Amino acid sequence: SIGGAYMCIYGMEGPGGYQLFGRTIPVWNTHRQTDAFIEGKPWLLRFFDQLRFYPVGADELLTMRDDFVAGRTHLRIEDGTFKLADYQRYLRDHEPAITAFKTRQQAAFEDERERWRVAGVAETVDERVDADAEARAAAASAFDGEVVTSEVSGGVWAVLATKGSTVRAGDTLLVVESMKMEITVFAPRDGVVHEVLCAEGQPVTAGQPLVLLSACAPTPATE
């Protein structure tokens, strides 16, 4: 057996706050070991798990959430075997319905984007930033100094560095938020902030230049 089928609540919920379909019982439990969380692992889902969803009312959901964490509500878990051939056969058998759904989904998406355009909110932050990407890259390429880049893709949470300020190695230049985590960007060496190439709230990609750092002026010799 390489998988099972969970009879669980509509959607998934766990660390990170991603709720793709709706509110659910937790899929993460660090407070108590129950029969659903095996091998001492606090996460519920395993590789190749197949999930089956069903809706419940708001009051029933609240009760089940409390009971599940306490071990009073049990999931129906069935062992099974995943076969690629069966899955591909399923896709072929349901191709008309799948195509119809995707067509409706795409039409709804395009309709939503058109409503955004009419309301004047169609331009996203990503699109505005992309317009400046070439200029940032050119400035970083021509700069004769330290180019501090982002290690991850995410959003700029806070900018502490200011143009013209002197920083020491290890000082915090800014903070990038990614996957609900704060990643601090430190100054790699002593220097002067020549230019800050990002702003708070701006999305960034891994490897994107964030700060241009010039060398500190030499300290005058004293007699």
Side-chain angles (χ1 to χ4, degrees):
S1 173
I2 59 173
Y6 289 103
M7 291 295 293
C8 61
I9 311 304
Y10 180 63
M12 298 196 307
E13 182 175 318
Y18 298 101
Q19 299 181 20
L20 305 182
F21 304 99
R23 297 184 62 200
T24 71
I25 56 174
V27 296
W28 191 279
N29 188 358
T30 58
H31 303 294
R32 180 171 180 174
Q33 184 74 38
T34 68
D35 58 349
F37 296 87
I38 61 175
E39 302 169 2
K41 299 177 180 179
W43 55 89
L44 180 61
L45 307 181
R46 303 290 186 266
F47 291 121
F48 297 106
D49 281 351
Q50 302 175 63
L51 279 69
R52 189 175 304 165
F53 305 105
Y54 66 88
V56 298
D59 292 338
E60 183 180 359
L61 173 62
L62 293 177
T63 300
M64 293 183 72
R65 288 168 65 91
D66 292 339
D67 289 346
F68 181 71
V69 173
R72 293 189 296 268
T73 292
H74 304 279
L75 300 179
R76 176 182 169 186
I77 302 176
E78 300 173 343
D79 289 334
T81 301
F82 177 81
K83 293 183 179 180
L84 180 60
D86 291 343
Y87 174 69
Q88 293 174 332
R89 185 181 305 110
Y90 175 89
L91 294 180
R92 291 194 300 270
D93 293 344
H94 295 82
E95 183 177 2
I98 294 172
T99 300
F101 172 80
K102 288 185 175 179
T103 300
R104 292 196 305 272
Q105 183 185 51
Q106 185 61 35
F109 174 76
E110 293 173 356
D111 182 61
E112 182 72 8
R113 289 300 301 265
E114 177 61 18
R115 288 200 296 270
W116 294 351
R117 187 192 66 79
V118 173
V121 295
E123 183 185 11
T124 65
V125 175
D126 288 340
E127 291 167 344
R128 292 195 298 270
V129 171
D130 286 345
D132 298 329
E134 187 174 341
R136 289 196 308 269
S141 178
F143 182 64
D144 185 20
E146 188 83 27
V147 179
V148 183
T149 62
S150 178
E151 295 183 357
V152 298
S153 296
V156 178
W157 183 260
V159 177
L160 284 72
T162 57
K163 184 175 181 179
S165 62
T166 300
V167 296
R168 300 300 179 190
D171 285 353
T172 299
L173 300 177
L174 50 91
V175 179
V176 174
E177 184 274 333
S178 180
M179 298 296 290
K180 310 300 180 183
M181 297 185 297
E182 296 182 7
I183 294 91
T184 303
V185 179
F186 299 103
R189 60 177 175 80
D190 297 352
V192 177
V193 177
H194 177 78
E195 193 74 45
V196 178
L197 301 177
C198 60
E200 291 183 2
Q202 173 185 322
V204 295
T205 58
Q208 178 176 323
L210 301 177
V211 177
L212 304 182
L213 195 63
S214 301
C216 292
T219 304
T222 57
E223 296 182 359

